[in-house]
Amino acid sequence: MKNINKTRIITIDGPAGAGKTTVSRELASRLGCVYVDTGSLYRGVAYEVYRCNLNWHDDAELDTLLSSISFELKLHHGGLYRLFSSGQDITDYIRTPEITMLSSDLSAKAAVRQALLGFQREIAKISDAIFEGRDMGTVVFPDADYKFFLSADLNTRALRRYSEMNGSKTLDEIKQAIELRDNSDSSREIAPLKPAEDAIMVDSTNLNHGEVVDKILSYINQN
Ligand code: DC
């Protein structure tokens, strides 16, 4: 029997460029629940570190910053959220190449992960949600109702990113940046990128987003 006091949580983990964002958004809209992009929170921390020109290798400095950070996800149109830090909308500033790599570096720090853990779990109490990230099924929501791990081969992921960009980077540069981030995200000691033991693996190399969404929905509907 469904526990009516519990929200339904679906986790989508996977490496950069596997299509998690597009798939999670579409799933959330089809299932009528919210979509939470947890990478944006790590990016938000990176943005604050960058903005304050903080020496994040210094644990005391990082702790001070983390205890002063106040994030809020505010619902925007289309069911999408925007990230506010101390009241300022920072959504448009967190996707630069510098912030992208810095967020990966910072995500290896225990203090950063710990600071974001409670925030993510609080959101899950409010509403049914799709949580997209790297450690959703393994660490943040080990009891999630459904766990998926989305992957695709490196060439395909790089090509997808390349087609989304305006030609400011070559395909090779994008491939290298993705590989660097994959290595850093999956080799860190704490909460590394890896599938949960009970995650359903979805390889999207030869599937378009719609086909991935259908595959995930058919699994959810059957289980
Ligand atoms: O999903 P993204 O590319 O926006 O994530 C940016 C970085 O944040 C990613 O390189 C690793 C980190 N991250 C993480 O460690 N755990 C998550 N749940 C989400 C993101």
Side-chain angles (χ1 to χ4, degrees):
M1 194 203 295
K2 185 171 160 42
N3 175 358
I4 53 165
N5 295 317
K6 184 182 167 294
T7 53
R8 179 162 80 159
I9 301 303
I10 299 171
T11 61
I12 313 254
D13 288 306
K20 300 186 300 293
T21 301
T22 317
V23 164
S24 304
R25 275 184 192 168
E26 175 66 20
L27 268 177
S29 125
R30 301 263 287 266
L31 293 170
C33 62
V34 302
Y35 154 63
V36 184
D37 163 17
T38 61
S40 71
L41 304 175
Y42 289 88
R43 289 170 180 272
V45 172
Y47 172 80
E48 289 301 341
V49 164
Y50 193 75
R51 192 177 65 84
C52 302
N53 199 15
L54 187 98
N55 172 16
W56 57 272
H57 297 285
D58 181 320
D59 288 345
E61 278 196 41
L62 184 59
D63 282 347
T64 306
L65 178 89
L66 288 171
S67 57
S68 74
I69 281 182
S70 162
F71 285 157
E72 211 183 333
L73 285 170
K74 287 194 189 167
L75 196 54
H76 201 58
H77 36 78
L80 298 180
Y81 280 87
R82 294 189 70 84
L83 178 64
F84 285 71
S85 178
S86 299
Q88 190 206 347
D89 184 350
I90 61 169
T91 319
D92 294 335
Y93 310 121
I94 59 174
R95 309 237 159 236
T96 64
E98 293 80 17
I99 298 296
T100 299
M101 202 54 225
L102 184 56
S103 66
S104 178
D105 291 339
L106 282 163
S107 70
K109 303 286 277 181
V112 173
R113 305 207 73 83
Q114 192 56 37
L116 296 178
L117 189 65
F119 186 71
Q120 295 169 86
R121 288 187 176 155
E122 282 307 309
I123 305 172
K125 288 183 189 161
I126 303 167
S127 158
D128 290 355
I130 314 264
F131 278 85
E132 174 211 324
R134 303 290 190 288
D135 63 337
M136 296 297 101
T138 49
V139 176
V140 183
F141 302 112
D143 298 327
D145 299 81
Y146 300 98
K147 300 180 185 180
F148 297 94
F149 191 90
L150 199 53
S151 62
D153 71 29
L154 177 62
N155 269 329
T156 307
R157 291 187 286 132
L159 261 172
R160 284 180 189 157
R161 279 281 148 92
Y162 182 68
S163 66
E164 286 162 11
M165 292 177 91
N166 50 10
S168 54
K169 290 222 171 350
T170 65
L171 182 58
D172 253 6
E173 284 170 334
I174 293 174
K175 206 192 272 185
Q176 275 173 27
I178 289 185
E179 212 171 6
L180 190 66
R181 209 144 65 90
D182 278 357
N183 289 339
S184 131
D185 291 344
S186 46
S187 66
R188 66 178 177 232
E189 273 174 35
I190 316 156
L193 164 68
K194 65 170 184 191
E197 275 175 19
D198 50 351
I200 308 298
M201 306 294 292
V202 181
D203 182 346
S204 74
T205 307
N206 297 308
L207 301 176
N208 64 35
H209 294 315
E211 290 168 327
V212 175
V213 170
D214 287 344
K215 207 174 170 136
I216 292 179
L217 281 176
S218 83
Y219 180 85
I220 291 175
N221 292 332
Q222 280 167 26
N223 288 275

